């Protein structure tokens, strides 16, 4: 019988030792190529995110590669960067929803204005009234910044219940095309002179964003003219050879004077008055974010993960250059230990991994592990390789640190499975190596859809099978695998949608042999249920029900909400499990600023350590590995070591001496 969880006396708490801030990565989401008003030289300006030290602008002189970064007074990052002329750059931030103004001549930020109630400003466009317009999340609003007096007007949220106004695009007459999503995708036109939203003409149905060139609105493979946005037939510019396939306008590169078109990997340039379309470059950069063209039209630039690139006329390749400023420390999204006792983690966004080796004290931060943007949510290990579950491409990526790095060639790291093409993009349920050698990962459905799936990946064949919506159309929030059973928790959350209404989060038990649910329970009033571990030879499951620790026991599997009433609430992302020689199991987790050890069988708990900040992740190598004497804790960007004393080792692991 499970005893009520109570605090029991144990060895004195361990003093945490700060190892450092090992997780470092750039995450550039916006950029512009401008002429520096100080020097007259072309400069690539990158908007880099950092949750710990704040957003920054990185200025890279294209000719020399010299760079310098400037910390912003607000925001953790930016999708929105606009050259407003006269040496002024406007930045729209997240997670605090602010407009900021950077003065290139003075090399400093000269204005910061919040958009009340909003977290994200997605991108920017200039209206006919010369104000800077930006769309927001979560209110799905349009805001207008007056640069003269630094005042923001809330223009409204006309497309509820949409939470995103993801794209705003200027039209030739200075109206603003607004694309809302994702619950009920809607496109409207805002007229600054009327201060009203209008329905768009049918000619641009399906178009969500575009650019202005030579008095036309260009998007996709079309151009539109006049206030009515009538389609110009034929297009008012030469088009690529029809026998080479389709083509499209690159709205990010296109400016009022220079049109840029893609046909496959060929980039074309055209300016009004040119005799023909110019084949500018033939270049392929998997996973590239093409940011902008230079005012002269002689250069296009972009980023790929931790690198930037510049492409000039006639190029057949783009040389990737490491962004030449050091990234600030990033909070780690997850924390795991491999069989060698090394600590692995990754940042919120950036699509990289870090590895800390306690033996050498060496830190390695990788380059991007995928062609897709996003982040790694969790990792599992097998035979010396790490398997990362990554958003937003819905990928499982294999990386072997013993082998040469060749991500561009998709050799190492290498995507071994993907589920985005089948509708799932965010691995909210983590990734586990089962006793059967299969990889199990839990997923959330793509934007605008409620649902989740468990992916089962055979690492010998690469085959991945999906078990879709095993507990209904809810995302997977956590799993444990034991024997032929999968223990599953779900969440009401979804990509681009509010929490699902009319339901509560669920716990269930799945028979993996016949893929049938043998138990399902809905937990009233709870939005997230996380399964943390299976213990006692798979007869007991410990789970977090809205942060509250509970148990479910065989054979009924009914969740006992009163089983662990005194256990502190779980607040960390990752937890660790330790087993003693007699198979006694401890769950080690973060509770606010404390690290707690819960005896899964007895229900009692001990406080292992007090940390100086909120514990975000806990990790440990299990006995039998090279360093089972240490618990690792992340507090945001800080990594701490908890070296177990002899008393703690005897209690948690069952060993008398430290190797």
């Amino acid at each position: 019988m499970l005893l009520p969880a109570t605090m029991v006396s144990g060895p004195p708490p361990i003093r945490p030792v700060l190892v450092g801030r090992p997780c470092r990565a750039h995450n550039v989401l916006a950029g512009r190529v401008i002429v520096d008003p100080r020097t007259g030289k072309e400069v690539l300006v990158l908007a880099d995110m950092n949750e710990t030290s704040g957003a920054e602008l990185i200025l890279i002189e294209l000719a020399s590669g010299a760079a310098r970064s400037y910390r912003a007074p607000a925001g953790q990052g930016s999708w929105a960067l606009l050259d407003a002329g006269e040496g002024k750059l406007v930045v729209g931030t997240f997670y605090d929803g602010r407009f900021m103004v950077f003065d290139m001549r003075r090399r400093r930020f000269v204005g910061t204005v919040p958009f009340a109630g909003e977290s994200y400003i997605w991108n920017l466009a200039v209206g006919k009234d010369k104000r800077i317009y930006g769309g927001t999340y979560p209110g799905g609003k349009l805001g207008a910044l007056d640069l003269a007096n630094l005042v923001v007007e809330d223009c409204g949220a006309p497309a509820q219940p949409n939470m995103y106004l993801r794209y705003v695009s200027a039209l030739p007459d200075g109206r603003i095309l607004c694309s809302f999503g994702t619950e009920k995708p809607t496109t409207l036109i805002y007229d600054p002179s009327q201060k009203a939203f209008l329905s768009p003409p049918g000619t641009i149905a399906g178009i969500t964003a575009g650019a202005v060139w030579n008095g036309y609105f260009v998007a996709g493979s079309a151009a539109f003219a006049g206030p009515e946005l009538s389609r110009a037939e034929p297009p008012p510019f030469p088009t690529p050879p029809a026998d080479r396939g389709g083509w499209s306008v690159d709205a990010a590169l296109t400016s009022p004077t220079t049109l840029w078109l893609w046909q496959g990997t060929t980039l074309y340039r055209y300016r009004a008055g040119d005799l023909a379309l110019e084949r500018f470059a033939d270049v392929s950069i998997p996973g590239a974010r093409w940011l902008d063209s230079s005012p002269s039209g002689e250069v296009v630039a972009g980023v790929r993960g931790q690198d930037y690139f510049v492409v000039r006329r006639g190029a057949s390749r783009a040389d990737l250059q490491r962004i030449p400023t050091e990234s600030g420390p990033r909070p780690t999204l997850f924390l795991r230990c491999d069989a060698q006792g090394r600590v692995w983690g990754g940042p919120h966004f950036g699509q990289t991994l870090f590895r800390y080796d306690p033996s050498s004290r060496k830190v390695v931060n990788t380059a991007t592990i995928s062609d897709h943007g996003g982040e790694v949510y969790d990792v599992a290990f097998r035979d010396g390789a790490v398997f990362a579950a990554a958003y937003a491409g819905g990928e499982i990526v294999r990386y072997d640190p013993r082998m040469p790095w060749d991500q561009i060639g998709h050799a190492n790291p290498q995507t071994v499975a993907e589920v985005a093409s089948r509708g799932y993009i965010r691995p909210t349920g983590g990734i586990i190596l089962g006793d059967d050698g299969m990889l199990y990962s839990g997923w959330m459905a793509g934007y605008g859809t409620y649902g989740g799936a468990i992916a089962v990946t055979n690492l010998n064949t690469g085959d991945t099978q999906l078990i879709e919506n095993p507990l209904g159309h809810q995302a997977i929030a956590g799993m444990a695998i034991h024997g032929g059973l999968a223990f599953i928790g779900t969440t009401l959350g979804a990509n681009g949608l509010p929490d699902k209404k009319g339901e509560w989060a669920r716990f269930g038990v799945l028979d993996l042999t016949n893929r049938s649910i043998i138990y399902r329970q809905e937990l009233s009033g709870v939005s997230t249920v996380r399964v943390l571990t299976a213990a006692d030879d798979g007869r007991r499951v410990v789970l977090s029900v809205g942060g509250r620790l509970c148990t479910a026991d065989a054979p009924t599997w009914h969740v006992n909400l009163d089983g662990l009433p005194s256990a502190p609430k779980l607040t960390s992302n990752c937890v660790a499990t330790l087993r003693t020689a007699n198979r006694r199991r401890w769950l080690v987790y973060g509770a606010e600023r404390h690290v707690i050890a819960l005896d899964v069988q007895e229900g009692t708990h001990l406080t292992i350590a007090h940390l100086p900040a909120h514990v975000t992740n806990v990790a440990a190598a299990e006995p039998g590995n090279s360093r089972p004497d240490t618990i690792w804790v992340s507090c945001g960007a800080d990594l701490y070591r908890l070296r177990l004393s002899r008393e703690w080792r005897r209690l948690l692991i069952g060993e008398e001496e430290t190797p």
Side-chain angles (χ1 to χ4, degrees):
M1 177 180 293
L2 183 68
L3 300 176
T6 57
M7 180 71 178
V8 296
S9 60
I14 300 168
R15 182 178 64 86
V17 175
L18 177 64
V19 171
R21 293 177 152 188
C23 185
R24 294 174 183 266
H26 293 289
N27 189 40
V28 174
L29 300 171
R32 291 291 180 265
V33 180
I34 67 170
V35 174
D36 187 343
R38 274 189 178 183
T39 65
K41 297 179 179 180
E42 290 182 330
V43 173
L44 174 61
V45 183
L46 304 178
D48 193 18
M49 79 168 291
N50 194 293
E51 306 90 336
T52 299
S53 53
E56 64 179 352
L57 291 183
I58 302 172
L59 276 57
I60 305 173
E61 188 178 279
L62 295 185
S64 67
R68 183 174 176 182
S69 63
Y70 296 86
R71 293 289 173 190
Q76 283 75 52
S78 173
W79 285 90
L81 180 61
L82 178 87
D83 182 2
E86 299 182 355
K88 298 292 197 309
L89 299 173
V90 179
V91 183
T93 72
F94 65 84
Y95 300 100
D96 57 358
R98 293 172 184 265
F99 290 92
M100 299 189 299
V101 181
F102 184 78
D103 189 319
M104 283 292 297
R105 290 187 176 86
R106 299 159 69 184
R107 291 293 201 271
R108 67 183 184 90
F109 287 90
V110 295
T112 302
V113 189
F115 192 150
E118 298 304 303
S119 299
Y120 280 65
I121 297 173
W122 285 111
N123 74 315
L124 302 170
V126 181
K128 67 171 68 175
D129 55 1
K130 306 304 180 185
R131 295 192 298 175
I132 312 299
Y133 287 84
T136 75
Y137 166 89
K141 292 183 174 183
L142 180 68
L145 170 68
D146 188 330
L147 275 176
N149 55 24
L150 294 182
V151 171
V152 173
E153 179 185 357
D154 183 341
C155 301
Q160 293 296 303
N162 291 303
M163 301 171 70
Y164 292 77
L165 173 43
R166 184 62 181 84
Y167 300 106
V168 294
S169 304
L171 297 175
D173 60 5
R175 294 178 298 166
I176 305 295
L177 181 69
C178 302
S179 177
F180 300 86
T182 57
E183 193 164 356
K184 186 180 179 181
T186 304
T187 301
L188 297 171
I189 292 175
Y190 182 77
D191 188 335
S193 60
Q194 300 182 47
K195 292 195 174 184
F197 289 91
L198 311 171
S199 296
T203 53
I204 61 168
I207 291 175
T208 58
V212 173
W213 170 78
N214 196 34
Y216 292 90
F217 181 66
V218 290
S221 57
F224 304 90
E228 299 80 14
L229 296 173
S230 56
R231 185 161 181 157
E233 292 285 7
F237 46 80
T239 59
D243 60 353
R244 296 182 182 175
W247 57 271
S248 63
V249 171
D250 191 314
L253 303 183
T254 294
S255 71
T257 60
T258 307
L259 178 72
W260 297 90
L261 310 175
W262 284 102
Q263 186 179 51
T265 59
T266 301
L267 179 62
Y268 291 94
R269 180 179 70 175
Y270 182 76
R271 288 175 282 209
D274 286 354
L275 296 178
L277 197 64
E278 179 183 10
R279 191 165 180 157
F280 185 82
D282 287 89
V283 62
S284 175
I285 311 175
R289 184 187 296 276
W290 295 83
L291 295 174
D292 198 13
S293 61
S294 65
S296 67
E298 297 300 318
V299 166
V300 293
V303 291
R304 186 185 190 275
Q306 306 306 294
D307 303 314
Y308 78 99
F309 58 87
V310 176
V311 174
R312 302 180 189 277
R313 183 169 51 189
S316 59
R317 56 173 293 176
D319 292 325
L320 299 177
Q321 304 290 328
R322 187 57 57 99
I323 295 172
T325 60
E326 183 180 4
S327 170
R330 301 281 303 281
T332 184
L333 179 59
F334 68 94
L335 206 63
R336 300 292 185 194
C337 287
D338 65 15
Q340 290 73 45
R342 297 173 300 189
V343 184
W344 292 77
H348 296 253
F349 302 105
Q351 207 64 292
T352 64
L353 297 169
F354 79 82
R355 182 178 75 247
Y356 172 69
D357 188 335
S359 299
S360 64
R361 298 184 180 180
K362 182 180 179 180
V363 176
V364 174
N365 279 280
T366 72
T368 181
I369 67 164
S370 167
D371 291 346
H372 296 275
E375 63 206 327
V376 175
Y377 265 62
D378 198 5
V379 296
F381 307 97
R382 177 180 164 179
D383 299 333
V386 58
F387 293 86
Y391 163 85
E395 297 169 282
I396 296 173
V397 180
R398 181 185 186 273
Y399 168 51
D400 190 336
R402 301 163 297 185
M403 302 297 292
W405 180 275
D406 182 14
Q407 195 281 321
I408 285 282
H410 300 144
N412 185 44
Q414 179 185 57
T415 297
V416 296
E418 67 84 24
V419 294
S421 62
R422 291 186 271 179
Y424 302 93
I425 64 171
R426 194 183 296 269
T428 48
I431 187 167
I432 302 168
L433 181 67
D435 295 335
D436 55 4
M438 307 286 274
L439 274 180
Y440 295 86
S441 50
W443 298 86
M444 176 183 284
Y447 280 88
T449 304
Y450 292 104
I454 295 173
V456 185
T457 302
N458 186 321
L459 293 178
N460 298 319
T461 66
D463 178 63
T464 295
Q465 298 181 5
L466 282 183
I467 304 171
E468 299 187 77
N469 300 308
L471 298 179
H473 289 267
Q474 296 183 6
I476 308 301
M479 300 182 302
I481 307 293
H482 192 281
L485 299 179
F487 305 98
I488 311 164
T490 68
T491 176
L492 303 180
N495 285 304
L497 297 172
D499 281 3
K500 196 172 187 183
K501 302 295 192 298
E503 298 178 3
W504 298 113
R506 295 163 181 159
F507 165 71
V509 183
L510 172 70
D511 186 324
L512 290 168
T513 302
N514 56 29
R515 306 290 171 87
S516 64
I517 293 293
I518 62 176
Y519 181 76
R520 166 177 147 159
Q521 182 179 349
E522 188 166 275
L523 285 304
S524 180
V526 176
S527 61
T528 299
V529 173
R530 289 177 57 194
V531 173
L532 303 176
T533 189
D536 195 17
D537 287 327
R539 294 190 296 270
R540 170 167 296 157
V541 175
V542 179
L543 56 158
S544 164
V545 179
R548 178 183 177 188
L549 293 187
C550 304
T551 59
D553 291 334
T556 66
W557 298 118
H558 183 78
V559 176
N560 182 0
L561 294 173
D562 298 319
L564 302 169
S566 300
K569 291 188 70 172
L570 171 81
T571 59
S572 62
N573 296 327
C574 288
V575 302
T577 57
L578 294 173
R579 288 189 297 241
T580 61
N582 63 1
R583 304 186 68 81
R584 185 180 182 186
R585 184 179 288 257
W586 294 89
L587 178 72
V588 185
Y589 66 96
E592 300 296 344
R593 296 190 175 196
H594 313 290
V595 176
I596 304 297
L598 173 72
D599 185 323
V600 173
Q601 276 76 20
E602 299 295 329
T604 56
H605 70 271
L606 301 164
T607 298
I608 297 178
H610 306 290
L611 278 295
H614 181 93
V615 173
T616 50
N617 294 286
V618 177
E622 290 197 356
N625 296 325
S626 60
R627 296 186 66 85
D629 59 340
T630 303
I631 294 172
W632 301 95
V633 180
S634 69
C635 298
D638 295 330
L639 179 65
Y640 289 90
R641 181 182 71 238
L642 304 181
R643 186 70 177 266
L644 300 181
S645 65
R646 179 180 300 179
E647 292 79 10
W648 277 110
R649 284 180 55 78
R650 184 183 301 121
L651 182 65
L652 298 180
I653 301 175
E655 297 182 15
E656 294 296 330
E657 301 293 336
T658 300

